[in-house]
Amino acid sequence: MTKLARRSFLGGVCAAAVIGFDPVRRSWITSAAAAPLPTGLSQVPPLDGQLLSDPASLAAAADDFGHTIQQQPIAVLRPGSVDDVVKMVRYARDNRLSIAARGQGHSTFGQSQVDAGIVIDSSTLSTVHEVCAHGALVDVGARWRQIVDASLPQGLAPPTMTDYLDLSVGGTLSGAGVGGAAHRHGAQIDNVLELDVVTGNGDLCRCSYTENPLLFNSVLGGLGQFAIIVRARIRLIPVLPIARIFALGYTDLSTLLVDLGKVAFDQRFDHVQAQAAPLPAGGFGWQLVAASYTAGAPDDATLLAGLSFDPGSQQLVQIPYAAFLARIDPIIQAQINAGVWTNPHPWLDLFIPCSSAKTYVSSALAELSPASLGGGPILLYPLRRSKLHRPFFRVPQEELFFLFDVLRTAPRDATVVQAEIASNRSLYDRARAVGGTRYCIGSIPFSFADWQAHFGTSYGDLVIAKSAFDPHRILTPGQGIFGHGPG
Ligand SMILES: Cc1cc2nc3c(=O)[nH]c(=O)nc-3n(C[C@H](O)[C@H](O)[C@H](O)COP(=O)(O)OP(=O)(O)OC[C@H]3O[C@@H](n4cnc5c(N)ncnc54)[C@H](O)[C@@H]3O)c2cc1C
């Protein structure tokens, strides 16, 4: 494996024999074992971690969960410290190289990739430093699973959790982090108390609601455009130990949407989402999945009052809260076992305003057969605009809207994948025509003009923040916003 790892204090002492310490392998590197700098890089500063350019590391960083876009970097930094991130961003700035953080690489359309630049693999910075009522202080490569593993023994958890726990903190904070509690608490980006970030200028800055608020608001949901997040303090709230989970059937989409809106406004449940359920005769019905967290005697009648689910469809299970958070682990394990976890995933993720949801979702479903999804789910989450506070997280203008996810698993067939991506684009166009927006984790080809339309009246603010925090435009080209990327 090609690697470069040096510590400055060794330089003058024993540079001839030992040139550094590999913190991952926990061994000293001798000059005989050291490989040359990655092609295209020279005078890289001494690092605590590793700078890799072996084919396997480059290939891994050139791919993501979508497996439809590949852009190869010239090097992958596995930082051994925050200082390494500062040094590499400054190095990239001075050498006009593009650079992007990569969390778990679970975005689907090249968002974490860099063509001929440097990828920072944040998974080596994943320490959970502190968990208490004031929040969880974590390095940004930590996965949300690590946070809840540390916080649940104290009866605490982040207010909003994604369905999948093995996403990095940095990855979801650059996008949004939406889950079944977002109708109450906002997205994960709305539940951050403080950040340490490295701007595109190479400045390590602390920001919060009161300190550098422009940077704070820009970075959260900022698609990696302004800074690389290195540490975050995440809000925690007390949680109750038991989740009572209701699954309620709906054959009629309009009725489901009315009930989703009702529970989004009255907030009777802690968690709400809906999933399309393929019907034996073809087409889809729906299941509303709603959870209530409890420590004592539940009042189910009050929870279900006024909801118009199909008679006899109601199911109820009660499991520990921790098990509820990890509920999709068995599904993912089954996909891994079936060998489809590494298939292409041309996902479609859209926000649809309430007033158009019935018409839009019905027409989209008419084009999607269960077979065409490859076993992937179609999901709906009710969301409220007033709960979302970050300017670059673009959502519909109406107070109530829905995240509409079509989580396709495609066969390893380029023709099928391209057709599904074209379908995503067509569905996006129709969503935009009714005031919808995209959630930028998915797979939709996007032009510069599309990005301008996406940010709308905030586009000018985006350019101002970009000029202030990443003036050389080196950060996160994989989003494609400023013209170079897959979009
Ligand atoms: C099985 C599965 C389930 C999912 N469930 C949900 C869900 O319930 N809710 C939801 O909202 N999303 C969900 N997602 C989508 C997920 O939130 C995004 O794909 C997210 O980007 C994944 O995090 P990551 O660590 O893999 O990020 P990456 O894919 O590695 O990165 C995503 C983007 O963030 C940037 N980035 C990463 N780290 C940093 C950093 N430290 N500083 C600045 N920018 C950074 C990258 O450059 C890239 O542009 C799911 C994805 C999968 C595969």
Side-chain angles (χ1 to χ4, degrees):
M1 181 177 287
T2 307
K3 57 180 169 292
L4 177 79
R6 295 176 285 181
R7 287 177 75 94
S8 51
F9 70 90
L10 283 165
V13 180
C14 52
V18 177
I19 63 165
F21 183 73
D22 180 338
V24 175
R25 296 181 175 193
R26 304 201 64 74
S27 63
W28 294 101
I29 301 167
T30 64
S31 52
L37 284 168
T39 309
L41 300 186
S42 62
Q43 298 184 318
V44 175
L47 298 167
D48 296 316
Q50 295 175 289
L51 194 61
L52 306 170
S53 65
D54 61 286
S57 298
L58 297 185
D63 200 8
D64 58 30
F65 186 71
H67 306 299
T68 60
I69 298 279
Q70 278 83 27
Q71 299 180 98
Q72 181 141 313
I74 53 174
V76 177
L77 174 68
R78 305 196 77 215
S81 62
V82 167
D83 205 31
D84 279 359
V85 178
V86 174
K87 286 178 185 170
M88 279 321 287
V89 171
R90 289 181 182 171
Y91 179 86
R93 175 200 65 192
D94 293 344
N95 291 279
R96 295 293 189 272
L97 288 165
S98 296
I99 192 163
R102 176 185 171 100
Q104 293 292 316
H106 282 322
S107 42
T108 63
F109 209 54
Q111 288 92 335
S112 63
Q113 299 172 17
V114 179
D115 184 29
I118 300 169
V119 166
I120 298 179
D121 171 0
S122 70
S123 65
T124 52
L125 296 181
S126 61
T127 304
V128 176
H129 292 276
E130 180 186 298
V131 169
C132 64
H134 300 301
L137 180 65
V138 301
D139 286 345
V140 80
R143 290 164 293 118
W144 289 92
R145 189 185 302 275
Q146 292 173 257
I147 298 180
V148 292
D149 282 352
S151 69
L152 287 182
Q154 297 185 42
L156 300 167
T160 295
M161 290 296 294
T162 50
D163 291 349
Y164 182 43
L165 300 181
D166 285 327
L167 307 169
S168 79
V169 170
T172 65
L173 294 190
S174 83
V178 178
H183 69 285
R184 291 173 74 116
H185 299 292
Q188 289 177 327
I189 53 174
D190 299 295
N191 290 284
V192 178
L193 302 172
E194 187 179 83
L195 294 174
D196 287 348
V197 305
V198 179
T199 68
N201 231 354
D203 299 322
L204 176 61
C205 303
R206 179 153 296 171
C207 56
S208 67
Y209 287 97
T210 53
E211 190 175 355
N212 289 321
L214 177 61
L215 181 59
F216 187 66
N217 275 313
S218 301
V219 168
L220 291 167
L223 305 178
Q225 294 306 302
F226 314 104
I228 291 177
I229 308 166
V230 289
R231 200 166 282 176
R233 193 179 289 278
I234 310 288
R235 187 174 157 236
L236 299 176
I237 58 171
V239 287
L240 296 170
I242 300 296
R244 280 176 79 74
I245 310 159
F246 298 89
L248 310 170
Y250 290 78
T251 39
D252 179 51
L253 176 60
S254 300
T255 311
L256 170 76
L257 293 170
V258 168
D259 281 0
L260 285 174
K262 196 178 285 179
V263 299
F265 281 105
D266 68 25
Q267 300 185 26
R268 68 180 78 180
F269 292 110
D270 294 291
H271 172 109
V272 178
Q273 67 184 96
Q275 177 162 349
L279 297 171
F284 298 92
W286 288 91
Q287 195 168 56
L288 192 162
V289 178
S292 179
Y293 309 143
T294 176
D299 183 354
D300 294 346
T302 302
L303 280 172
L304 299 181
L307 300 183
S308 304
F309 50 89
D310 297 343
S313 68
Q314 172 189 342
Q315 298 170 45
L316 171 65
V317 291
Q318 185 166 299
I319 59 175
Y321 175 74
F324 178 66
L325 289 184
R327 66 196 174 280
I328 73 165
D329 287 359
I331 299 170
I332 287 175
Q333 192 56 51
Q335 293 191 8
I336 293 169
N337 295 344
V340 295
W341 182 246
T342 50
N343 273 36
H345 293 100
W347 281 9
L348 176 69
D349 307 273
L350 301 171
F351 297 112
I352 308 295
C354 174
S355 62
S356 302
K358 157 84 173 52
T359 312
Y360 181 86
V361 173
S362 303
S363 78
L365 289 191
E367 294 175 25
L368 298 166
S369 69
S372 74
L373 299 169
I378 296 176
L379 304 173
L380 274 176
Y381 300 77
L383 293 163
R384 294 181 55 192
R385 187 178 164 84
S386 59
K387 303 281 182 183
L388 304 163
H389 304 294
R390 305 296 170 213
F392 299 131
F393 178 42
R394 306 301 293 167
V395 296
Q397 292 298 320
E398 293 177 17
E399 169 63 6
L400 179 66
F401 62 95
F402 299 92
L403 171 58
F404 176 57
D405 286 320
V406 179
L407 305 183
R408 309 168 189 265
T409 296
R412 296 167 205 261
D413 177 331
T415 308
V416 174
V417 171
Q418 285 314 314
E420 294 191 355
I421 290 171
S423 158
N424 287 353
R425 176 68 214 199
S426 161
L427 286 162
Y428 167 74
D429 286 338
R430 282 176 276 159
R432 189 163 87 180
V434 296
T437 60
R438 67 175 290 204
Y439 185 18
C440 300
I441 60 172
S443 305
I444 302 173
F446 238 46
S447 68
F448 180 55
D450 289 324
W451 281 113
Q452 286 181 302
H454 174 79
F455 287 108
T457 52
S458 292
Y459 182 74
D461 295 337
L462 179 92
V463 172
I464 290 168
K466 186 76 172 168
S467 303
F469 303 124
D470 180 24
H472 306 292
R473 298 192 173 187
I474 61 168
L475 290 181
T476 320
Q479 295 282 1
I481 298 173
F482 290 99
H484 46 196

